[in-house]
């Protein structure tokens, strides 16, 4: 227990660093996956229709020329040739449907030749496919230019990538010699992810031995399978799939560690070969007698309720266990509504302490917490200075806020975010804060809430605080100098790097990225300037500046 890949804090240590190294290696091909709130950035763009992006394209492919005839037609005026780019064994695939997984690409494209590796970009409906030989990639691109090629029932489009190889961990080059440990990155995790959830998702495809979940760069997990073949099947069947409809999207790569070391079985780590590793709370002897016995949720699966089938597996039997008892559908727990019982104390109210007395108010709390769920009401407590209650849309929003905001520093003070015993915020004891604003504010009707509808919520990418902010909904006349001046006027740190995305000629707004010296500076700028009203001369309505944390670690 004292060695290898993790004991105690191991999940957030070595495994977290391994995940970070992997993320750095992948940056070449996935650098600018869609950020939270980027609907303004991509308004009018439909990747299914095959239209070219007006701005963000994955690094390494932004100079690629589409080989499909409908793309060539749009480029004839410029005299550009789709074959000007040199052939590459790596093919960039666009126009994928939302439900596509890695196995669908393999089934559709392996007729062109042996496939070495697949990298999914689910939020962009794109993927990179590396063939064993350039000739195979050439057959794929040429065929796509002459006739429709369908992936999971939808026509896809192909071009050569400027990359000659997809960067990946050691031992992943050959499909026949991979790693039995997979790294799962859960993108847009609107619901809690536990070992039970991941086991129920993964085990029907291949026997799972151990699971470790860590929360260093968002929500990530390592899953160790019984064999390399099981891991390969799971990667093919699940890479790009949603655990729950419209959220909790899986991005899967091979991990660096070849074995996981688990010292306790709980919601964040589990060794299924050692069921006796149940955690015992220190200092507790015999439990007190319970008047009503077990809580009702103790008899349900994981406290989430009955299992619900959501994720269909590919029809090809090579992606499933050979046992005839394994169903064609993966079942896993469906989260309960906020009114249901839960194994833990559930509340849609968060208590936030450690707030700066003169620099924090209700609006600034909203600006920060709205990234993780709708905000209903905010109230500062008179009896406890520097403490506020934040009523959010549901208990899952509170859980996300605690995961990402607890212990961060804002204006030199470290926040403490936890679940409140209150189940609603009541506007009692109204008084003025040091800046003259009210200690209570109702945000239920504001248009700045970002989870008001299912479609809106699905576009939000839940990200932990980072040193890079994504800005959007800014008028085209605003320049880098204007944004720097805005930081100076509001007494917040200025950014050190600036990037503006290329906008379509018809676009009424622009967007981009701002990099700061530290994560703390970025948090303070977002807290102050998020939802700032930008007024332009002769403009009828102001533009609402929107900020969120970027998936990019640096520019």
């Amino acid at each position: 227990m004292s060695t290898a890949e993790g004991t105690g804090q191991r999940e957030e240590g070595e495994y977290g660093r391994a995940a970070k190294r992997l993320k750095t290696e992948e940056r070449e091909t996935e650098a600018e996956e869609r950020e939270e709130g980027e609907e303004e950035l991509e308004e009018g763009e439909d990747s299914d229709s095959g239209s070219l992006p007006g701005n963000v394209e994955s690094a390494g492919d932004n100079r690629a020329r589409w080989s499909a005839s409908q793309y060539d037609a749009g480029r004839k005026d410029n005299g550009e040739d789709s074959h000007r780019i040199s052939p590459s064994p790596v093919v960039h695939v666009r126009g994928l449907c939302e439900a596509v997984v890695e196995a669908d690409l393999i089934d559709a494209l392996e007729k062109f030749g042996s496939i070495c590796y697949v990298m999914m970009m689910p939020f962009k409906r794109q993927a990179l496919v590396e063939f064993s030989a350039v000739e195979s990639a050439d057959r794929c691109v040429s065929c796509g230019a002459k006739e429709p090629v369908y992936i999971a029932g939808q026509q896809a489009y192909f071009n050569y990538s400027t990359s000659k190889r997809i960067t990946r961990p050691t031992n992943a080059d050959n499909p026949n010699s991979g790693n039995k440990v997979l790294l799962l990155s859960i993108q847009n995790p609107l619901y809690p992810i536990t070992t039970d959830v991941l086991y129920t998702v993964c085990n029907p495809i291949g026997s799972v031995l151990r699971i470790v979940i860590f929360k260093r760069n968002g929500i990530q997990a390592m899953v160790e399978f019984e064999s390399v073949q099981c891991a390969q099947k799971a990667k093919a069947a699940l890479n790009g799939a949603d655990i729950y409809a419209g959220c909790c999207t899986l991005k899967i790569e091979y991990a660096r560690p070849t074995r996981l070391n688990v010292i306790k079985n709980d919601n964040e780590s589990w060794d299924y070969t050692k069921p006796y590793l149940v955690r015992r709370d220190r200092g507790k002897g015999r439990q007190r007698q319970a008047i009503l016995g077990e809580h009702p949720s103790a008899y349900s699966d994981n406290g989430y309720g009955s299992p619900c089938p959501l994720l269909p597996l590919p029809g090809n039997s090579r992606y499933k266990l050979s046992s005839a008892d394994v169903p064609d559908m993966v079942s896993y727990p469906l989260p309960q509504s906020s009114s249901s019982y839960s194994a833990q104390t559930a509340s849609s109210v968060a208590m936030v302490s450690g707030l700066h007395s003169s620099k924090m108010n209700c609006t600034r709390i909203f600006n920060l917490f709205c990234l993780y769920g709708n905000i209903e009401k905010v109230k500062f407590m008179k009896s406890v200075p520097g403490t506020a209650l934040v009523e959010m849309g549901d208990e899952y929003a509170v859980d996300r806020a605690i995961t990402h905001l607890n212990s961060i520093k804002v204006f030199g003070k470290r926040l403490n975010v936890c679940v409140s015993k209150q189940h609603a915020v009541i506007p009692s004891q109204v008084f003025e804060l040091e800046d003259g604003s009210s200690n209570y504010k109702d945000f239920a009707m504001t248009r700045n809430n970002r989870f008001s509808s299912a479609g809106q919520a699905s576009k939000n990418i839940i990200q932990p605080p980072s040193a890079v902010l994504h800005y959007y909904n800014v008028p085209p006349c605003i320049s880098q100098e204007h944004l720097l001046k805005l930081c100076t006027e509001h007494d917040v740190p200025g950014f050190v790097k600036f990037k503006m995305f290329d906008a379509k000629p018809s676009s009424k707004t622009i967007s981009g990225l701002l990099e700061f010296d530290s994560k703390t500076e970025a948090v303070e700028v977002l807290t102050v300037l998020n939802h700032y009203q930008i007024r332009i001369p002769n403009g009828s309505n102001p533009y609402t500046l929107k900020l969120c944390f970027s998936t990019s670690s640096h520019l």
Side-chain angles (χ1 to χ4, degrees), residues 153-379:
Q154 181 165 300
Q155 184 178 358
Y157 305 96
F158 309 88
N159 71 313
Y160 295 113
S161 169
T162 54
S163 301
K164 303 300 181 184
R165 181 179 180 276
I166 299 176
T167 304
R168 50 201 184 267
T170 309
N171 300 327
D173 297 330
N174 189 337
N176 298 319
S177 61
N179 187 0
K180 66 177 182 177
V181 181
L182 296 181
L183 172 67
L184 280 61
S185 297
I186 295 87
Q187 301 176 337
N188 199 21
L190 295 183
Y191 300 114
I193 301 298
T194 65
T195 50
D196 288 336
V197 171
L198 294 180
Y199 182 84
T200 313
V201 169
C202 298
N203 196 63
I205 303 168
S207 181
V208 173
L209 301 184
R210 300 168 189 88
I211 297 176
V212 171
I213 299 174
F214 45 94
K215 301 177 181 178
R216 186 178 182 91
N217 297 303
I219 307 296
Q220 293 181 304
M222 288 193 183
V223 179
E224 180 183 347
F225 289 85
E226 188 175 43
S227 65
V228 173
Q229 290 73 26
C230 289
Q232 291 172 348
K233 292 177 183 178
K235 182 175 182 291
L238 299 175
N239 193 11
D242 290 347
I243 295 180
Y244 299 113
C247 64
C248 302
T249 304
L250 293 172
K251 184 176 177 63
I252 303 177
E253 297 292 341
Y254 291 107
R256 287 184 178 274
T258 57
R259 187 185 185 280
L260 304 181
N261 187 22
V262 176
I263 63 170
K264 66 180 187 301
N265 290 344
D266 58 16
N267 283 338
E268 295 187 348
S269 63
W270 202 285
D271 188 336
Y272 296 94
T273 67
K274 300 177 181 178
Y276 53 83
L277 291 180
V278 178
R279 181 178 181 179
R280 295 179 178 231
D281 292 333
R282 295 181 179 179
K284 287 190 177 182
R286 186 181 63 171
Q287 292 186 340
R288 291 190 296 271
Q289 181 179 357
I291 298 173
L292 298 180
E294 291 283 357
H295 190 279
S297 63
Y299 301 105
S300 63
D301 294 337
N302 316 316
Y304 290 93
S306 60
C308 176
L310 293 176
L311 179 64
L313 288 178
N316 196 327
S317 60
R318 63 180 172 167
Y319 298 113
K320 293 178 286 189
L321 292 174
S322 58
S323 172
D325 297 331
V326 178
D328 286 342
M329 195 76 70
V330 176
S331 299
Y332 40 82
L334 180 67
Q336 290 180 312
S337 65
S338 58
S339 60
S340 304
Y341 283 112
S342 175
Q344 298 178 346
T345 302
S347 171
S348 59
V349 179
M351 184 170 71
V352 188
S353 58
L355 297 168
H356 195 286
S357 58
S358 62
K359 294 185 178 182
M360 289 298 288
N361 54 34
C362 295
T363 299
R364 291 182 174 182
I365 288 179
F366 173 86
N367 290 343
L368 182 59
F369 277 72
C370 72
L371 303 186
Y372 304 104
N374 284 341
I375 308 298
E376 300 291 330
K377 306 180 188 77
V378 178
K379 183 181 76 170

Side-chain angles (χ1 to χ4, degrees), residues 63 122 135 206 211 216 284 309 312 314 317 344 404 442 446 507 530:
R63 296 183 302 278
E135 293 76 16
I211 297 176
R216 186 178 182 91
K284 287 190 177 182
S317 60
Q344 298 178 346
H404 297 297
D442 191 325
T446 179
S507 178
N530 197 13

Side-chain angles (χ1 to χ4, degrees), residues 107 225-226 232 419 422 468:
D107 288 341
F225 289 85
E226 188 175 43
Q232 291 172 348
V419 179
Q422 306 294 325
V468 180

